[in-house]
Amino acid sequence: MNKTIFFRDDDVQDSDINFKKFIGLFLWHRIPVHLAVIPGNMTVRCGAFLRQCLKKHPDLIEIGQHGYKHLNYSQNPMRKYEFGLRRTYTEQRKDIVKGKSILSKVTKGDLIFIPPWHGFDKSTLKIISELGFLGISLDRKSRIPKSVYPVRNIMTSVYLNKKDLKGWFVEEADVILNEIKAAQGNVVGIQSHHNEFKSDKEFKELNDLLFKLKKIPEVRFCKLSEGSS
């Protein structure tokens, strides 16, 4: 399995127990993780914790901008978005600028933009291009039209958290390994939501996955910003 892997964790807004357990596993295994922070919801203690993590582990921790407040403006329950057609260029830009300003107090690095629910339109792409974002991170179901702005899309294709009739759950390590092997291309982005981990058993699945990946000589890890589009 010759793969380069990056991890992206969404909905970071508080440094609670779940988040600290989650990030602790990546630090223990010395594997980079991209933290998609909701700036408008970020608590003071979370901001302080993230600054501390970046200072201690600049090679392992990377911060991205996950929208502004993760609000849904869509009237279609099957297609939620915070940034999309029902919002004007001016409305979107105002929120993105406010979010970027908040995160500038946490990190001085350039940011990747991760729109909630992977929702965006041409205005969104224009704004992040104008504001100097390194790119956008969507999943493979949300492609950017080639005729629009030349924005770099660093895609995720494997989902650590999945949903069935009982709700959200963390997939078994061996299932994720098989999905990584089957993924298109040599670079594989894995998406997660730490707040959907419900038990120690689910954290153990993540630990097992990281442990098994580290044992594969052909697997290397990178930050999301280093991933290819």
Coordinates of all heavy atoms in Angstrom, one line a residue, residues 109-165:
G109 N 0.1 31.2 10.6 CA 0.2 30.5 9.3 C -0.9 30.7 8.3 O -2.0 31.2 8.7
D110 N -0.7 30.4 7.1 CA -1.7 30.5 6.1 C -2.8 29.4 6.3 O -2.5 28.4 6.8 CB -1.2 30.4 4.7 CG -0.3 31.6 4.3 OD1 -0.6 32.7 4.7 OD2 0.7 31.3 3.6
L111 N -4.0 29.7 5.9 CA -5.1 28.8 6.3 C -5.7 28.1 5.0 O -5.7 28.6 3.9 CB -6.3 29.6 6.9 CG -6.0 30.3 8.3 CD1 -7.1 31.2 8.7 CD2 -5.7 29.3 9.4
I112 N -6.2 26.9 5.3 CA -7.1 26.2 4.3 C -8.5 26.5 4.8 O -8.8 26.5 6.0 CB -6.8 24.7 4.4 CG1 -5.4 24.3 4.1 CG2 -7.8 24.0 3.4 CD1 -5.0 24.5 2.7
F113 N -9.4 26.7 3.8 CA -10.8 26.9 4.1 C -11.6 25.6 4.0 O -11.5 25.0 2.9 CB -11.4 28.0 3.2 CG -12.8 28.5 3.6 CD1 -12.9 29.3 4.7 CD2 -13.9 28.1 2.9 CE1 -14.2 29.7 5.1 CE2 -15.2 28.5 3.3 CZ -15.3 29.3 4.4
I114 N -12.3 25.3 5.0 CA -13.1 24.1 5.0 C -14.6 24.5 5.2 O -15.0 24.7 6.4 CB -12.7 23.0 6.1 CG1 -11.2 22.6 5.9 CG2 -13.6 21.8 6.0 CD1 -10.3 23.3 6.9
P115 N -15.4 24.6 4.2 CA -16.8 25.1 4.4 C -17.6 24.0 5.0 O -17.5 22.8 4.7 CB -17.2 25.3 2.9 CG -16.4 24.5 2.1 CD -15.1 24.4 2.8
P116 N -18.4 24.3 6.0 CA -19.3 23.4 6.7 C -20.2 22.7 5.6 O -20.7 23.3 4.7 CB -20.2 24.2 7.6 CG -19.2 25.4 8.0 CD -18.5 25.7 6.7
W117 N -20.4 21.4 5.8 CA -21.2 20.5 4.9 C -20.6 20.6 3.5 O -21.3 20.2 2.5 CB -22.7 20.9 4.9 CG -23.3 20.8 6.3 CD1 -23.6 19.7 7.0 CD2 -23.7 21.9 7.1 NE1 -24.2 20.0 8.2 CE2 -24.2 21.4 8.3 CE3 -23.7 23.3 6.9 CZ2 -24.7 22.2 9.3 CZ3 -24.2 24.1 7.9 CH2 -24.7 23.6 9.1
H118 N -19.4 21.0 3.3 CA -18.8 21.2 2.0 C -19.6 22.0 1.0 O -19.6 21.8 -0.2 CB -18.5 19.8 1.4 CG -17.5 18.9 2.2 ND1 -17.8 17.6 2.5 CD2 -16.4 19.3 2.8 CE1 -16.8 17.2 3.2 NE2 -15.9 18.1 3.4
G119 N -20.3 23.0 1.6 CA -21.1 23.8 0.8 C -20.4 25.1 0.3 O -19.8 25.7 1.1
F120 N -20.5 25.4 -1.0 CA -19.9 26.6 -1.5 C -20.5 27.0 -2.8 O -21.3 26.2 -3.4 CB -18.4 26.4 -1.7 CG -18.1 25.4 -2.8 CD1 -17.8 25.8 -4.1 CD2 -18.2 24.0 -2.6 CE1 -17.6 24.9 -5.1 CE2 -17.9 23.1 -3.6 CZ -17.6 23.6 -4.9
D121 N -20.2 28.2 -3.3 CA -20.6 28.6 -4.6 C -19.4 29.4 -5.2 O -18.3 29.5 -4.7 CB -21.9 29.3 -4.6 CG -21.9 30.7 -3.9 OD1 -20.8 31.1 -3.4 OD2 -22.9 31.3 -3.8
K122 N -19.7 30.1 -6.4 CA -18.6 30.8 -7.0 C -18.2 32.0 -6.2 O -17.0 32.3 -6.2 CB -19.1 31.4 -8.4 CG -19.4 30.3 -9.4 CD -19.9 30.8 -10.7 CE -20.1 29.8 -11.8 NZ -20.6 30.3 -13.0
S123 N -19.1 32.6 -5.4 CA -18.7 33.7 -4.5 C -17.7 33.2 -3.5 O -16.7 33.9 -3.2 CB -19.9 34.3 -3.9 OG -20.7 35.0 -4.8
T124 N -18.0 32.1 -2.9 CA -17.1 31.5 -1.9 C -15.6 31.3 -2.4 O -14.7 31.7 -1.8 CB -17.6 30.1 -1.4 OG1 -19.0 30.1 -1.2 CG2 -16.9 29.8 -0.1
L125 N -15.6 30.8 -3.6 CA -14.3 30.5 -4.2 C -13.5 31.8 -4.5 O -12.3 32.0 -4.4 CB -14.4 29.7 -5.5 CG -15.1 28.3 -5.3 CD1 -15.3 27.7 -6.7 CD2 -14.2 27.4 -4.5
K126 N -14.3 32.8 -5.0 CA -13.7 34.1 -5.3 C -13.1 34.8 -4.0 O -12.0 35.3 -4.0 CB -14.8 35.0 -5.9 CG -14.2 36.4 -6.4 CD -15.4 37.2 -7.1 CE -14.8 38.4 -7.8 NZ -14.4 39.4 -6.9
I127 N -13.9 34.7 -2.9 CA -13.5 35.3 -1.7 C -12.2 34.7 -1.1 O -11.3 35.4 -0.7 CB -14.6 35.2 -0.7 CG1 -15.8 36.1 -1.1 CG2 -14.2 35.6 0.7 CD1 -17.1 35.7 -0.4
I128 N -12.2 33.3 -1.1 CA -11.0 32.7 -0.5 C -9.8 32.9 -1.4 O -8.6 32.9 -0.9 CB -11.2 31.2 -0.2 CG1 -11.5 30.4 -1.4 CG2 -12.4 31.0 0.8 CD1 -11.6 28.9 -1.2
S129 N -10.0 33.1 -2.7 CA -8.9 33.4 -3.6 C -8.4 34.8 -3.3 O -7.2 35.0 -3.2 CB -9.3 33.3 -5.0 OG -8.3 33.6 -5.9
E130 N -9.3 35.7 -3.1 CA -8.9 37.1 -2.8 C -8.2 37.3 -1.5 O -7.3 38.1 -1.3 CB -10.2 38.0 -2.8 CG -10.8 38.2 -4.2 CD -12.2 38.9 -4.1 OE1 -12.8 38.9 -3.0 OE2 -12.6 39.4 -5.1
L131 N -8.6 36.5 -0.5 CA -8.1 36.6 0.9 C -6.8 35.9 1.1 O -6.3 35.9 2.2 CB -9.2 36.2 1.9 CG -10.5 37.1 1.9 CD1 -11.5 36.6 2.9 CD2 -10.1 38.5 2.3
G132 N -6.4 35.2 0.1 CA -5.1 34.5 0.3 C -5.1 33.2 1.0 O -4.0 32.8 1.5
F133 N -6.2 32.5 1.0 CA -6.2 31.1 1.6 C -5.4 30.2 0.7 O -5.3 30.4 -0.5 CB -7.6 30.6 1.7 CG -8.4 31.2 2.8 CD1 -9.1 32.4 2.7 CD2 -8.5 30.5 4.0 CE1 -9.8 32.9 3.7 CE2 -9.2 31.0 5.1 CZ -9.9 32.2 4.9
L134 N -4.8 29.2 1.3 CA -4.0 28.3 0.6 C -4.8 27.4 -0.3 O -4.3 26.8 -1.3 CB -3.2 27.4 1.5 CG -2.0 28.0 2.3 CD1 -1.4 27.0 3.3 CD2 -1.0 28.5 1.3
G135 N -6.1 27.3 0.0 CA -7.0 26.5 -0.8 C -8.2 26.1 -0.1 O -8.5 26.7 1.0
I136 N -8.9 25.1 -0.5 CA -10.2 24.7 0.1 C -10.1 23.2 0.2 O -9.4 22.5 -0.5 CB -11.4 25.1 -0.8 CG1 -12.7 24.9 -0.1 CG2 -11.4 24.3 -2.1 CD1 -13.9 25.5 -0.8
S137 N -10.7 22.6 1.2 CA -10.7 21.2 1.4 C -12.2 20.7 1.4 O -13.0 21.0 2.3 CB -10.1 20.8 2.7 OG -10.0 19.4 2.9
L138 N -12.5 20.0 0.4 CA -13.8 19.4 0.2 C -13.7 17.9 0.2 O -12.6 17.3 0.4 CB -14.4 19.9 -1.1 CG -14.5 21.4 -1.4 CD1 -14.9 21.7 -2.8 CD2 -15.5 22.0 -0.4
D139 N -14.8 17.2 0.0 CA -14.7 15.7 -0.3 C -14.8 15.5 -1.8 O -15.1 16.4 -2.6 CB -15.7 14.9 0.6 CG -17.1 15.3 0.3 OD1 -17.4 15.9 -0.8 OD2 -18.0 14.9 1.1
R140 N -14.7 14.2 -2.2 CA -14.7 13.9 -3.6 C -16.1 14.0 -4.2 O -16.2 14.0 -5.4 CB -14.2 12.5 -3.8 CG -12.7 12.4 -3.6 CD -12.1 11.1 -4.1 NE -10.6 11.1 -3.8 CZ -9.7 11.6 -4.6 NH1 -10.1 12.2 -5.8 NH2 -8.4 11.5 -4.4
K141 N -17.1 14.2 -3.4 CA -18.5 14.4 -3.9 C -18.7 15.9 -4.2 O -19.7 16.2 -4.8 CB -19.5 13.9 -2.9 CG -19.4 12.4 -2.7 CD -20.4 12.0 -1.6 CE -20.0 12.4 -0.2 NZ -20.8 11.9 0.8
S142 N -17.8 16.8 -3.8 CA -18.0 18.2 -4.0 C -16.9 18.9 -4.8 O -16.0 19.6 -4.3 CB -18.1 18.9 -2.6 OG -19.0 18.2 -1.8
R143 N -16.9 18.6 -6.1 CA -15.8 19.0 -6.9 C -16.0 20.5 -7.4 O -17.1 21.0 -7.5 CB -15.7 18.1 -8.1 CG -15.2 16.7 -7.8 CD -15.0 15.9 -9.0 NE -14.5 14.5 -8.7 CZ -13.2 14.2 -8.5 NH1 -12.3 15.2 -8.7 NH2 -12.9 13.0 -8.2
I144 N -14.9 21.2 -7.6 CA -14.9 22.6 -8.1 C -15.0 22.6 -9.6 O -14.2 21.9 -10.3 CB -13.7 23.3 -7.6 CG1 -13.7 23.4 -6.1 CG2 -13.6 24.7 -8.2 CD1 -12.4 24.0 -5.5
P145 N -15.9 23.3 -10.2 CA -16.0 23.4 -11.7 C -14.7 23.9 -12.2 O -14.2 24.9 -11.7 CB -17.2 24.3 -11.9 CG -18.0 24.3 -10.7 CD -17.0 24.0 -9.6
K146 N -14.2 23.4 -13.3 CA -12.9 23.8 -13.8 C -13.0 25.2 -14.4 O -11.9 25.9 -14.5 CB -12.5 22.8 -14.9 CG -12.1 21.5 -14.4 CD -11.6 20.6 -15.5 CE -11.1 19.2 -15.0 NZ -10.7 18.3 -16.1
S147 N -14.1 25.7 -14.7 CA -14.3 27.0 -15.4 C -14.3 28.1 -14.4 O -14.2 29.3 -14.7 CB -15.6 27.1 -16.2 OG -16.7 26.8 -15.3
V148 N -14.3 27.8 -13.1 CA -14.3 28.8 -12.0 C -12.9 29.2 -11.6 O -11.9 28.9 -12.3 CB -15.2 28.3 -10.9 CG1 -15.5 29.5 -9.9 CG2 -16.5 27.7 -11.4
Y149 N -12.8 29.8 -10.4 CA -11.5 30.3 -10.0 C -10.5 29.2 -9.7 O -10.9 28.1 -9.3 CB -11.7 31.1 -8.7 CG -12.6 32.3 -8.9 CD1 -14.0 32.2 -8.7 CD2 -12.1 33.5 -9.4 CE1 -14.8 33.3 -8.9 CE2 -12.9 34.6 -9.6 CZ -14.3 34.4 -9.4 OH -15.1 35.5 -9.6
P150 N -9.3 29.3 -10.0 CA -8.3 28.3 -9.9 C -7.9 28.1 -8.4 O -6.8 28.4 -8.0 CB -7.1 28.8 -10.7 CG -7.2 30.3 -10.6 CD -8.7 30.6 -10.6
V151 N -8.8 27.6 -7.6 CA -8.6 27.3 -6.2 C -8.2 25.9 -6.0 O -8.8 25.0 -6.5 CB -9.9 27.6 -5.4 CG1 -9.7 27.3 -3.9 CG2 -10.3 29.1 -5.5
R152 N -7.1 25.7 -5.2 CA -6.6 24.4 -5.0 C -7.6 23.6 -4.0 O -7.9 24.1 -2.9 CB -5.3 24.5 -4.3 CG -4.6 23.2 -3.9 CD -3.2 23.6 -3.3 NE -2.5 22.4 -2.8 CZ -1.9 22.4 -1.6 NH1 -1.7 23.5 -0.9 NH2 -1.3 21.3 -1.2
N153 N -8.0 22.5 -4.4 CA -8.9 21.7 -3.6 C -8.2 20.4 -3.1 O -7.8 19.6 -3.9 CB -10.2 21.2 -4.4 CG -11.1 20.3 -3.6 OD1 -11.0 20.2 -2.4 ND2 -12.0 19.7 -4.3
I154 N -8.0 20.3 -1.8 CA -7.3 19.2 -1.2 C -8.4 18.3 -0.6 O -8.9 18.5 0.5 CB -6.3 19.7 -0.1 CG1 -5.4 20.8 -0.6 CG2 -5.4 18.5 0.4 CD1 -4.6 21.5 0.4
M155 N -8.7 17.3 -1.3 CA -9.9 16.5 -1.1 C -9.7 15.4 0.0 O -8.6 14.7 0.0 CB -10.4 15.8 -2.4 CG -10.9 16.9 -3.4 SD -11.5 16.1 -4.9 CE -9.9 15.5 -5.6
T156 N -10.7 15.1 0.7 CA -10.8 13.9 1.6 C -11.7 12.9 0.9 O -12.5 13.2 0.0 CB -11.5 14.2 2.9 OG1 -12.8 14.7 2.7 CG2 -10.6 15.3 3.7
S157 N -11.4 11.6 1.1 CA -12.1 10.5 0.5 C -12.5 9.4 1.4 O -13.3 8.5 1.0 CB -11.3 10.0 -0.7 OG -10.1 9.5 -0.3
V158 N -12.0 9.4 2.6 CA -12.3 8.3 3.6 C -12.9 8.9 4.8 O -12.4 10.0 5.3 CB -11.0 7.5 3.9 CG1 -11.3 6.5 5.0 CG2 -10.5 6.8 2.7
Y159 N -13.9 8.3 5.3 CA -14.6 8.9 6.5 C -14.5 8.0 7.7 O -14.9 6.8 7.7 CB -16.1 9.0 6.2 CG -16.4 9.9 5.0 CD1 -16.4 9.4 3.7 CD2 -16.6 11.3 5.1 CE1 -16.6 10.2 2.6 CE2 -16.8 12.1 4.0 CZ -16.8 11.5 2.8 OH -17.0 12.3 1.7
L160 N -13.8 8.5 8.7 CA -13.6 7.7 10.0 C -15.0 7.5 10.7 O -15.2 6.5 11.3 CB -12.6 8.5 10.9 CG -12.0 7.7 12.0 CD1 -11.2 6.5 11.5 CD2 -11.1 8.6 12.8
N161 N -15.8 8.6 10.7 CA -17.1 8.5 11.4 C -18.2 8.2 10.3 O -18.2 8.9 9.2 CB -17.5 9.8 12.0 CG -16.4 10.2 13.1 OD1 -15.5 10.9 12.7 ND2 -16.6 9.9 14.3
K162 N -19.0 7.3 10.6 CA -20.1 6.9 9.7 C -21.4 6.9 10.4 O -21.5 7.0 11.6 CB -19.8 5.6 9.0 CG -18.6 5.7 8.1 CD -18.3 4.3 7.5 CE -17.0 4.4 6.6 NZ -16.6 3.1 6.2
K163 N -22.5 6.8 9.6 CA -23.8 6.9 10.2 C -24.7 5.8 9.8 O -24.7 5.4 8.6 CB -24.5 8.2 9.9 CG -25.7 8.6 10.8 CD -26.1 10.0 10.4 CE -27.2 10.5 11.4 NZ -27.6 11.9 11.1
D164 N -25.4 5.1 10.7 CA -26.4 4.1 10.4 C -27.7 4.5 11.1 O -27.9 5.6 11.6 CB -25.9 2.7 10.8 CG -25.6 2.6 12.2 OD1 -26.1 3.4 13.0 OD2 -25.0 1.6 12.6
L165 N -28.7 3.6 11.1 CA -30.0 3.8 11.7 C -29.9 4.2 13.2 O -30.7 4.8 13.8 CB -30.9 2.6 11.5 CG -31.3 2.4 10.1 CD1 -32.1 1.1 10.0 CD2 -32.0 3.5 9.5

